[in-house]
Amino acid sequence: MNSMNARRDALRILFILVKCCESYESSNFPDYAGIFKGEAKLHACDFWMRYPDYLADELMNRFEQEESSADLAIVRDILVNNEPDLRRIPMIRYRFGAYEKIDNSISTLSSRGLVRIERVVQGKSIKETDFLINTKAFDLIDSVSSEWPVLQWYVKRVNIVASLVEGRGGTSLKDQQYEQMEYGNTILGSVIPCIKDRVRSRYEQLSGEVL
Amino acid sequence: MYKDTDWFSAVGERLGIERDVIKEVAARYNIKASEVAPTPKRLELKSIKFAGEKVGIDCPGEFDFAWDNLGTGVQWLLTDKNLKGKTSFFELIKWILRGASSGKLQDDVKSWIQNASLEFSLGENDYRVAFSTDEGFRGEVTRNSKRGNIPVASFMSESDFAETMSQLMMKELSLESVDIWQRSNSKGAGRIITHEWPFLAGAMFISTDYNVLLGDTKLPSGSVKLLQMYLGLPWVSTYSTASSVKKQLEEQNGNALEERKVDAERVQLLHRQIEEKRKLIASYPNESSFLQGMSEANSKIRKLSDEQQRQDTIKSQLEAQRMQMADAVVEDKRELQLFLDAQAAGAIFRRLAPTICPRCQKPLSSHAVEGELETGACCVCNEDLVSEEGMEDKKVELTERLKASQEALEEATRQKKEAAKNSQKLAQQLEKTRSEYTRLKSQISAIKNRYVLELELAKLEAELEQLNSVSIKEPPQSVIDCKIVAQLEKEAKARFYDIQIELLEAVSKQLVIYAQRFGMKSLSNASLKGNANLQLEKGGVSTSYSKTSPGEKLRLKVATLLAMLKVSEDRGIGRHPGLIMIDSPAAQEVTPTDLDEILTGIKGVVEELPHLQVFIASTATKTVLDHAEAERSKRAYGENYLW
């Protein structure tokens, strides 16, 4: 089943890349319409995809800033549908946050010509890894969204993540998430735990509704 | 006429009780059968002497009196003026004869007497009584015999003196003491008073107080006793004793009856009170049921608490289970979801054949791609390509598993709900039992009250039992005794009654004769009753002694006394000593004519009854002097005192 999970992961990564990238146009790579800058940002997006409770927590942060009731509604859905349990795909906490090798996923995508890796080198070290998104990828995401109803959740969810990460750099996102994990008392090297109770309480406080 | 059988037997027959029992009862109360009526003994004064010193009056001085040629018949004690010592003289004689002075002998006069003596014959014997007061009151009684004066008794005090004279006289005259029942009054309970010589001696004296027909002392039924005594009726003292004892017993029994009545009332009251108290106690909770109830409640509480604990354990177990099931459901859901995601992803990427090498990003050779169909493994990662069929199987499996988990969760939830319901029911039961226990506990004070009431009930019941046990007893001895004594009295009375009637008739007839002789011409009939009432028929009109005038009373008194003496003399019965002392017959509105007639009458009777010795004290009026013989007189002339 590993291969299945790998494919699933790859698909999820693809959703993130496609929906969270910036537009791109280059005469060098005319088939590529988007660019996703930095692995860090990718990891951050993936974390929020895989931990709905932490996502909800971030949404409530935004609600405190912008007071958009839509955010609170999403948080409610997350909690009511028990997404923190049902949708969680555990990650291990590393020194600088949640990290998981995405090599296999990227391989799956790049071998099918959907994504191209571009490494930005400075001197002897890799400064940044960017991903170029082929137009095929955009088409594929669109078609599978309608073809596979089971994937609707990914569609909706990745759009929310996209709205959260828009214009933000990978580092700042990582720091943010790092704080969340600190607050959740996550021990280094252990699986990042579920914080749904804390999130529920916070939601109830903010909304006045008892779930 | 009474039956001439033995008195005890007669009583016993009448009551249906054994003779010996009757005898014992009579002995117990000192009721003696009567003696045969004795022959009378005569008392005749021989001489009287006294001396002393008068002090504190107008003519003080020593005195020395003697009168010693006394004999039978009438002796006269005369003074020209009044208040010259006649009454005192009589009082002195009475003093010696009775052994006790009466109130009529004034204290100052009494104190003048320094010594006195009286010589008299009593029956066959001659006696001398003498006393002196110089070294305290003392004296002696001696008897004159051939061998000289023999001391009979001596006395060292006045009470001693009275005792001595009483004993002497009662014995010599064969008199029995008279028992009279004095009713309970303000001064004390009822009691028998024995009247002896001083009372009986009164039959010898007629003074100036004519209230009483017989004797000189008014006593309830005293006259009757005197009458019976001096008529010499047998059984009189027996009767009087029995009568007194009967009255005493009746009073005692009356009291006892009263007590029993009170007791009976009390018993009724107790019954009512006991009934009420029992009802009241019944309304209280029973102690044993109370204790049992508390113990039951207690053990029930324990059981329920244990059960509750068990249920709580089960509940938490079920909850843990349910939570597990819930987790399992979530887990299975998740797996299914992930599977579905993966299934989609798998299908998507399978459709896209890899064309570029992920490592160097150069195109892959076409035969590598084609080789997949043969090997069934991915040309990039060499992993087996899973068929769609296999995926479907897996999906079904996961779906089934989820369904099972959900069912298990439902079951666990149901079980938990049930346990919760049970738990609640238990809690309710426990609550109920606890409050029941509390309620019972609060009744402890009621139990205490019940104890108090039960104690009170026990007290009442004990009292009732005691009263009942008392009343069960036979009638007390005194009731039986009373019956016997009453019959003894009746029998004694029967024995003398007939004689009495006859004697009274005779006396009544005789006294009419004497009274007429004394000048009561209008007296046609007299009837002396057994109770010493004297009914008279005077001038055709019925009257009685008390309604007559003083002069008439005097004549009747003397007439009655002399008539009694005569009647008993004629029959050889009677115990009157034969000495009569009459003080101042002219004192109470008695006219000279009356007096003359009385004195004549007396002298006439004295001739008829020669053994009589009569003393008459009077002022020396012409009437009197006409009758008084000088040699039988002692006279104080002019202003002189008799002594």
Side-chain angles (χ1 to χ4, degrees), chain A:
Chain A
M1 296 298 120
N2 271 342
S3 58
M4 283 182 58
N5 293 340
R7 298 261 152 95
R8 186 194 64 216
D9 291 340
L11 185 60
R12 188 179 67 249
I13 296 295
L14 187 61
F15 264 103
I16 293 169
L17 289 171
V18 166
K19 293 293 180 179
C20 302
C21 65
E22 298 157 25
S23 56
Y24 176 79
E25 209 184 297
S26 167
S27 49
N28 290 340
F29 302 102
D31 297 328
Y32 291 84
I35 181 167
F36 191 102
K37 289 189 177 164
E39 270 194 48
K41 188 167 175 181
L42 185 55
H43 284 298
C45 289
D46 199 24
F47 174 68
W48 273 340
M49 288 296 287
R50 292 163 73 151
Y51 277 87
D53 38 0
Y54 286 85
L55 174 72
D57 206 28
E58 184 56 25
L59 279 171
M60 285 195 280
N61 289 342
R62 190 165 76 179
F63 173 77
E64 281 176 347
Q65 293 293 319
E66 297 172 22
E67 291 180 9
S68 162
S69 60
D71 285 341
L72 218 51
I74 296 162
V75 170
R76 185 180 191 277
D77 281 343
I78 291 171
L79 291 170
V80 165
N81 296 329
N82 201 12
E83 286 188 27
D85 286 328
L86 291 176
R87 290 291 181 181
R88 179 174 71 252
I89 302 169
M91 291 171 82
I92 294 175
R93 181 186 165 182
Y94 288 100
R95 249 178 95 202
F96 301 109
Y99 177 83
E100 194 164 289
K101 283 176 78 159
I102 52 167
D103 293 357
N104 285 339
S105 297
I106 298 298
S107 291
T108 307
L109 296 175
S110 66
S111 67
R112 286 161 174 80
L114 298 167
V115 166
R116 187 185 166 84
I117 305 162
E118 282 294 320
R119 292 193 168 85
V120 179
V121 176
Q122 199 172 41
K124 283 222 168 105
S125 56
I126 303 170
K127 188 178 166 214
E128 192 178 281
T129 308
D130 294 338
F131 302 92
L132 297 178
I133 321 295
N134 201 306
T135 49
K136 270 202 293 190
F138 286 92
D139 293 339
L140 183 63
I141 290 296
D142 281 341
S143 68
V144 301
S145 297
S146 49
E147 192 185 340
W148 298 90
V150 75
L151 298 175
Q152 279 306 308
W153 180 79
Y154 287 92
V155 175
K156 284 195 257 182
R157 184 50 41 87
V158 79
N159 283 331
I160 292 166
V161 173
S163 71
L164 282 175
V165 304
E166 197 178 342
R168 290 171 76 174
T171 318
S172 95
L173 288 171
K174 235 174 43 174
D175 290 342
Q176 170 103 26
Q177 288 171 351
Y178 181 77
E179 262 182 45
Q180 278 184 317
M181 282 175 247
E182 270 299 301
Y183 195 71
N185 281 330
T186 314
I187 304 164
L188 211 54
S190 70
V191 174
I192 297 166
C194 172
I195 55 163
K196 71 174 181 186
D197 292 328
R198 175 161 72 82
V199 167
R200 187 192 294 116
S201 303
R202 193 179 170 198
Y203 169 74
E204 286 172 352
Q205 247 186 335
L206 286 177
S207 69
E209 182 190 353
V210 174
L211 291 174

Side-chain angles (χ1 to χ4, degrees), chain B residues 191-233:
Chain B
R191 57 202 173 115
I192 288 178
I193 301 184
T194 303
H195 296 283
E196 296 196 354
W197 174 240
F199 169 67
L200 293 170
M204 298 189 285
F205 311 126
I206 298 177
S207 63
T208 53
D209 175 5
Y210 303 143
N211 268 328
V212 192
L213 176 64
L214 302 171
D216 66 347
T217 317
K218 196 169 177 79
L219 271 181
S221 57
S223 304
V224 182
K225 306 302 175 205
L226 280 183
L227 179 72
Q228 291 160 345
M229 192 66 59
Y230 284 100
L231 282 181
L233 291 167

Side-chain angles (χ1 to χ4, degrees), chain B residues 529-572:
Chain B
K529 305 289 181 200
N531 58 1
N533 272 354
L534 184 59
Q535 297 300 320
L536 305 164
E537 212 181 274
K538 210 171 60 134
V541 176
S542 291
T543 182
S544 66
Y545 172 79
S546 51
K547 294 190 185 127
T548 55
S549 68
E552 287 171 324
K553 280 204 177 92
L554 172 65
R555 274 175 267 198
L556 287 167
K557 260 186 93 104
V558 176
T560 306
L561 180 55
L562 295 176
M564 282 196 330
L565 292 176
K566 176 149 173 67
V567 165
S568 52
E569 191 63 40
D570 285 351
R571 284 164 175 72

